[in-house]
Amino acid sequence: MPERKLDRELEKVRNDLKAMSKLVQKSLKDAMVALKNRDMELSLKVIKLDDEINTLYREIEERCIHTIALHQPVAGDLRFISTTMNVASNLERIGDYSKDIAMILPFIVNEKSENEEKLLQEMGKIAGKMSRDAIDAFINRDKEKVDEVNINEEKIDVLYESIFPKLKEMVKMNCNKVPLALNLLLVARCLERIGDHSVNISNRTMYAISGRRKYL
């Protein structure tokens, strides 16, 4: 069977989404390394990288709209394209939260809290795995990866719930740590939201695979 022009367009969309995912993964990883090492130079690179992510997001969105208008896909092809736009939107938000973590760094560059920040680094690792698994699930139509994302959502939620009492105790012991505690809580919130967006991607993946609206 000859290759359809639509198939070539769909492959371009997949490749663009993979490229965007790599940038987002790098952004999150570098943001967490910058936080751990209080690396201002690296945090600035994360902030700058967000422009590349946003540009690629717009290109994916435009390509999807163009593909729908030009080829009028139906059924599974249409679900894939429409879901791709939603997946790309969630990736863009993950990039935004990574940038937000990097932007917090100047406010805490001269302060550290080892025990509490170990929890944040653990959250960061789980959030990174969730976003990787979510994209792999979508690109490869892999239901097992979807299950892994949902399992890790529970783990990241448990860590998020445990960070506040620890930060509260830190402030009780030293009231001068209030600004640090608030900023670390913001980091935890960003990571928790990254997990939520990964779950959104995995839910959309199930919709793209099954066509069942309960996943929307």
Side-chain angles (χ1 to χ4, degrees), residues 27-28 30-32 34-35 38-51 54 93-109 179 182-184 186-187 190:
S27 178
L28 176 55
D30 287 353
M32 294 309 296
L35 176 67
R38 295 301 194 265
D39 188 333
M40 286 297 299
E41 184 177 350
L42 184 57
S43 72
L44 291 174
K45 289 180 180 178
V46 172
I47 294 168
K48 187 175 181 180
L49 183 60
D50 191 59
D51 290 335
N54 291 340
R93 292 299 295 137
I94 291 173
D96 284 345
Y97 283 117
S98 300
K99 181 186 72 172
D100 289 345
I101 292 171
M103 291 177 69
I104 288 170
L105 191 54
F107 300 99
I108 60 173
V109 67
L182 290 175
N183 280 296
L184 293 181
L186 286 175
V187 172
C190 287

Side-chain angles (χ1 to χ4, degrees), residues 107-181:
F107 300 99
I108 60 173
V109 67
N110 295 318
E111 294 186 89
K112 261 199 172 184
S113 177
E114 296 292 342
N115 291 333
E116 289 75 15
E117 291 192 40
K118 284 181 181 178
L119 287 178
L120 292 178
Q121 290 298 324
E122 188 175 349
M123 284 184 72
K125 289 179 182 178
I126 295 173
K129 185 177 187 323
M130 287 178 71
S131 58
R132 285 194 304 274
D133 287 344
I135 287 298
D136 287 346
F138 180 65
I139 295 295
N140 301 314
R141 300 170 67 88
D142 188 337
K143 292 182 181 180
E144 290 185 5
K145 288 291 186 181
V146 170
D147 292 337
E148 289 185 32
V149 171
N150 292 328
I151 290 170
N152 279 314
E153 181 195 19
E154 296 178 7
K155 293 180 182 178
I156 208 167
D157 285 347
V158 168
L159 287 170
Y160 180 59
E161 290 172 4
S162 71
I163 192 74
F164 181 75
K166 292 184 180 298
L167 292 173
K168 185 177 178 181
E169 187 63 27
M170 181 180 76
V171 169
K172 276 186 178 181
M173 294 178 65
N174 185 350
C175 62
N176 293 324
K177 295 286 187 180
V178 169
L180 175 61

Side-chain angles (χ1 to χ4, degrees), residues 180-199:
L180 175 61
L182 290 175
N183 280 296
L184 293 181
L185 189 59
L186 286 175
V187 172
R189 177 58 176 164
C190 287
L191 293 170
E192 191 266 343
R193 291 298 296 143
I194 287 172
D196 287 344
H197 283 286
S198 299
V199 172

Side-chain angles (χ1 to χ4, degrees), residues 42-92:
L42 184 57
S43 72
L44 291 174
K45 289 180 180 178
V46 172
I47 294 168
K48 187 175 181 180
L49 183 60
D50 191 59
D51 290 335
E52 292 183 47
I53 293 170
N54 291 340
T55 297
L56 192 48
Y57 167 56
R58 288 191 293 270
E59 290 175 357
I60 290 171
E61 191 174 47
E62 289 173 6
R63 186 183 292 280
C64 288
I65 293 171
H66 175 80
T67 300
I68 291 172
L70 188 63
H71 299 284
Q72 298 182 339
V74 296
D77 291 334
L78 180 58
R79 283 202 306 274
F80 172 77
I81 294 171
S82 61
T83 303
T84 293
M85 288 192 285
N86 183 274
V87 168
S89 176
N90 278 281
L91 278 177
E92 190 269 340

Side-chain angles (χ1 to χ4, degrees), residues 188-212:
R189 177 58 176 164
C190 287
L191 293 170
E192 191 266 343
R193 291 298 296 143
I194 287 172
D196 287 344
H197 283 286
S198 299
V199 172
N200 289 347
I201 292 172
S202 67
N203 286 338
R204 288 285 174 166
T205 296
M206 292 304 299
Y207 169 69
I209 293 172
S210 68
R212 299 175 67 182

